[in-house]
Amino acid sequence: MPLQVPPAPAPALRSVLMALGSPTAVREARTPSLRNAQGPATPELPLPVHVLDRITPEGVSATRLIGWRFLIRCGDRAVAAAETRLTPDGWAFSHFFEGPYIASTERALRQAETVQQTYQPRLLSVPGLYMLTLWLHGDCAADGAEGQPAASDLLVPLAPAPPGIAAHRPHQVAELLPVLTHRVTPAPLLISPA
């Protein structure tokens, strides 16, 4: 089934296009593959980036939108990504980057397109585990900038995933959040401090 990619805010896309058109922004970026790219670079697949601030023992999570990420395509592959952030003046370009999450995101999106149900793709960051997942939200009509992971949504950990969590293996939120709860929460003290 095709994914229903949410529309990015127009100012976020404009800021990325302006940065791509700026020789200074591209030249100063720490992305050799973008600097050395042959042909036009185009931003594609805007994905809202949410961060998982906390996981309660009941598995209920609190997330918040922190930006929009665009894969930057040159020719037939993504060579980098551009991140935008919400500022007091609106959406603004933040930075270009490259690394393993670019190819991993593309792979996870290709996998998601083979699933029977239609989903809205998002990214979910779990800073406490240095983990990034493709969040496949079941409500395709939802605003991509809002909402919480539903129990039936899918999370696909991107590579590199934390030890003990398989990259590119889809998990229902109801299955994965309890595992993450134990990983993020510090172990209780066995003896009380004197």
Side-chain angles (χ1 to χ4, degrees), residues 16 21 29 34 38 41 45-46 68 78 100 109 115-116 140 147 149 154 162:
V16 170
L34 182 59
Q38 301 296 317
L45 290 168
W68 283 81
L109 288 166
V115 176
Q116 294 298 327
C140 295
L154 295 178

Side-chain angles (χ1 to χ4, degrees), residues 16-183:
V16 170
L17 289 170
M18 287 178 56
L20 282 170
S22 165
T24 304
V26 172
R27 188 172 49 251
E28 291 180 2
R30 294 183 191 157
T31 53
S33 60
L34 182 59
R35 283 194 311 265
N36 300 330
Q38 301 296 317
T42 57
E44 294 182 355
L45 290 168
L47 297 173
V49 181
H50 295 259
V51 66
L52 186 64
D53 284 325
R54 64 184 155 79
I55 305 170
T56 67
E58 298 80 30
V60 178
S61 59
T63 62
R64 62 187 164 84
L65 180 72
I66 60 168
W68 283 81
R69 182 174 295 173
F70 297 79
L71 293 180
I72 306 300
R73 186 168 300 283
C74 287
D76 62 346
R77 67 183 189 94
V79 297
E83 192 105 357
T84 62
R85 298 278 181 216
L86 188 58
T87 69
D89 295 325
W91 288 99
F93 170 76
S94 175
H95 62 281
F96 292 115
F97 66 93
E98 62 184 50
Y101 285 130
I102 307 301
S104 188
T105 301
E106 281 192 305
R107 177 179 170 187
L109 288 166
R110 281 193 306 272
Q111 277 182 281
E113 288 181 344
T114 66
V115 176
Q116 294 298 327
Q117 183 177 339
T118 302
Y119 288 100
Q120 182 188 81
R122 303 168 175 201
L123 293 172
L124 182 64
S125 172
V126 185
L129 294 175
Y130 301 99
M131 180 179 177
L132 185 64
T133 69
L134 177 64
W135 168 15
L136 299 172
H137 191 52
D139 182 0
C140 295
D143 180 348
E146 298 176 358
Q148 304 296 326
S152 59
D153 287 354
L154 295 178
L155 296 177
V156 182
L158 301 180
I165 297 176
H168 298 287
R169 183 177 173 271
H171 301 270
Q172 283 195 333
V173 168
E175 295 171 355
L176 189 58
L177 280 186
V179 173
L180 299 182
T181 300
H182 296 296
R183 293 274 187 104

